[in-house]
Each structure stands twice: as C-alpha cells, then as structure tokens.
Amino acid sequence: DDTQLSLAVAGWLTDAGAARLPDGDDFGRRVAEWGPVARGAGLGSSTAAANLATGVPWWESGSPTYGNGVAMRSAAIGLRYQGDLGRMRDAVAVSGLATHRHASAVAGGLVLAAVTSYLVAAGDDVDARALVDAAIAPLAGLALPEHPVGGSEDRATLVDLIASVPSLLDEDVESVFDHFYNGSAVFQSLPMTVWLFCRYGGTDPEEAMVIAASGGRDADTIAAMVGNWVGALHGTRAFPERWTGPELEYRDELVSLAESLYGLWVGDRTRSS
C-alpha cells in the first residue's frame, strides 16, 4: 500500500501540471479507485477509500487517526515542490486530510516531504543534526498533541520525538526499536525512520534498508520511508541492481512519474527566473 499510494500521489501531482495546488477531488477519486485493489492497507486509508467511494467529499472522508499513512506517501510532494515549503504544506494538507484528520498524521507527511526536498539538494555528507532540523522546522508553530513514548509512561510531541534522535545515535538498534516502538502510529514509526536514516542512510544505504525491513511491527512502511530518503540523497545507485532491475514491480511507472515530477519542478524554476 505504501508504493500504491505513493504512485497515486505522484500521478496526482503530475496530472496537475503547473497548477498552484492540485485538486482535492482528483486525489479523492484516486484513493477511492485504489481501495478495491489495496494491499495491506491501514485502517485510516482503507476507511477513507470506502468513504470516498460512496461520495463523501475529500475534506470529510478522513478518519481522526494518527497512523503513518500520510507520511508513507508524501515523498513525491517533496520532489515536486523542492525548496517551496508553502506549496509542500498545501499539497500535504489536501492529500493528508483526505485520509487522516489527525494533526500528527498530517504533520508526518510534511516531515517526509520536507526532508525529501532537503536531501535532494544536499551533498553526500548529511549531518544528523542538520537533517533533524530540516525535519522539524516545517512544524514550528503547529499545536501538536503529546503521545506515549514507546511502552513508557512518558509523553512527547512528534517534534520532541524527532528532536531526540541525535541523542540516541550511539544506542544499539534493538534498544531504539524498543524505545520508539516502531508501530504504525506516526509518532512511533517516523522517529524510528529518522534514527535509521541518520545512523545508516548516509554511509550504508543497503544496511539501512535491510534493518528497516527486518525490524518487525510496521517494518514495510519504515523501510518505504527510509528508502525514500536514501533515494533522495544517493539516487538509484544506492541500491543493489537486484532491487532495481526490470523485474521490479511498477518499475516503468515509477521511473516515468519521477521524470515527470522533475520536469515540472524544472518548469517552475524556468518560469520564475
């Protein structure tokens, strides 16, 4: 479902062309069409797809859930609107509210998009503190609720959890998995994604992906989000050929949409210059 909905977002942005803000009704239609063919869909996204299929408008179709369904699909927004935080915020809000009406869930989508944008423009050497700053800067001023921290009685906002990552980089991976509890809640999986990328993504992308995919709980979404950032920083050369060859499902569609998003971004820069 991570790949399926990422393709839906990328197609939505591509078909919108140079429009200031892609159409919410169009995205709602895409989510409704995805519902019957969804693989491993989370409750928030599948419920929204069912609502949209019955004619509920996109701004009312989402559930008040704090799942990671917005974050997992928002990298394409960071690619399309690189360097333009205002348009990233608008697109994340429209696509996010269609499935998730919880502030932390939509905020997670903005983190994914903003960090993707940051990494595309970064050099090969990314400092963990700088990446964390890029992740939480777009959330400044947002009133985000506190959530449980792992299995403890502590509570923290999504911003606080992401900001804590640099202090944990010397910990072993199993203890960090236990600390954040890498489940499907965005306040669990997104800080874990930031930690994995900061620990491995800059220097050993394949290791980052293998550990992310092997961590249990919501491993597929964590691997998808880590993979988005590894790809944004290093490009496809970061991945072994056995992962990116012609047998990869959706490969041609992924490449075509990526090229289209890049072309639209270049067009924006040309028009503004």
Side-chain angles (χ1 to χ4, degrees):
D1 62 320
D2 308 76
T3 302
Q4 289 178 319
L5 285 173
S6 293
L7 287 168
V9 171
W12 173 60
L13 298 171
T14 298
D15 289 349
R20 175 64 181 78
L21 179 64
D23 180 63
D25 288 330
D26 182 32
F27 185 70
R29 176 185 59 79
R30 293 169 191 266
V31 174
E33 291 175 351
W34 160 80
V37 297
R39 297 180 184 175
L43 181 60
S45 297
S46 59
T47 300
N51 290 338
L52 289 158
T54 62
V56 177
W58 65 268
W59 61 90
E60 296 179 352
S61 55
S63 301
T65 173
Y66 42 64
N68 54 27
V70 184
M72 74 182 192
R73 64 179 191 245
S74 291
I77 296 173
L79 290 175
R80 171 63 185 90
Y81 301 123
Q82 293 171 50
D84 189 339
L85 183 57
R87 296 181 78 182
M88 274 188 264
R89 280 178 172 152
D90 291 344
V92 169
V94 172
S95 65
L97 289 173
T99 56
H100 296 67
R101 288 189 291 107
H102 193 285
S104 293
V106 178
L110 185 55
V111 170
L112 250 289
V115 172
T116 301
S117 173
Y118 166 77
L119 290 173
V120 168
D124 286 340
D125 185 20
V126 175
D127 175 73
R129 184 71 260 175
L131 183 133
V132 166
D133 288 345
I136 63 179
L139 307 184
L142 297 182
L144 296 176
E146 292 186 337
H147 300 285
V149 180
S152 72
E153 296 183 359
D154 296 335
R155 298 181 68 83
T157 67
L158 183 62
V159 170
D160 295 333
L161 290 164
I162 294 173
S164 73
V165 165
S167 68
L168 300 171
L169 288 176
D170 292 332
E171 302 292 328
D172 64 89
V173 65
E174 289 82 7
S175 66
V176 180
F177 273 130
D178 289 340
H179 173 70
F180 287 126
Y181 192 87
N182 52 314
S184 61
V186 71
F187 57 84
Q188 298 168 340
S189 53
L190 189 52
M192 192 69 232
T193 297
V194 174
W195 188 91
L196 286 166
F197 184 86
C198 288
R199 178 73 172 265
Y200 302 105
T203 57
D204 195 344
E206 185 174 352
E207 184 76 355
M209 294 297 297
V210 171
I211 293 175
S214 305
R217 299 174 186 139
D218 203 19
D220 63 317
T221 293
I222 292 172
M225 294 190 292
V226 171
N228 283 326
W229 289 348
V230 169
L233 180 62
H234 299 292
T236 54
R237 70 183 186 277
F239 302 106
E241 185 177 357
R242 66 184 183 277
W243 292 359
T244 62
E247 294 184 355
L248 174 65
E249 189 177 20
Y250 301 121
R251 183 184 189 281
D252 291 344
E253 188 175 358
L254 288 162
V255 171
S256 176
L257 286 169
E259 291 174 345
S260 296
L261 291 170
Y262 176 72
L264 288 168
W265 176 71
V266 169
D268 287 347
R269 288 170 58 88
T270 301
R271 282 186 294 273
S272 64
S273 62

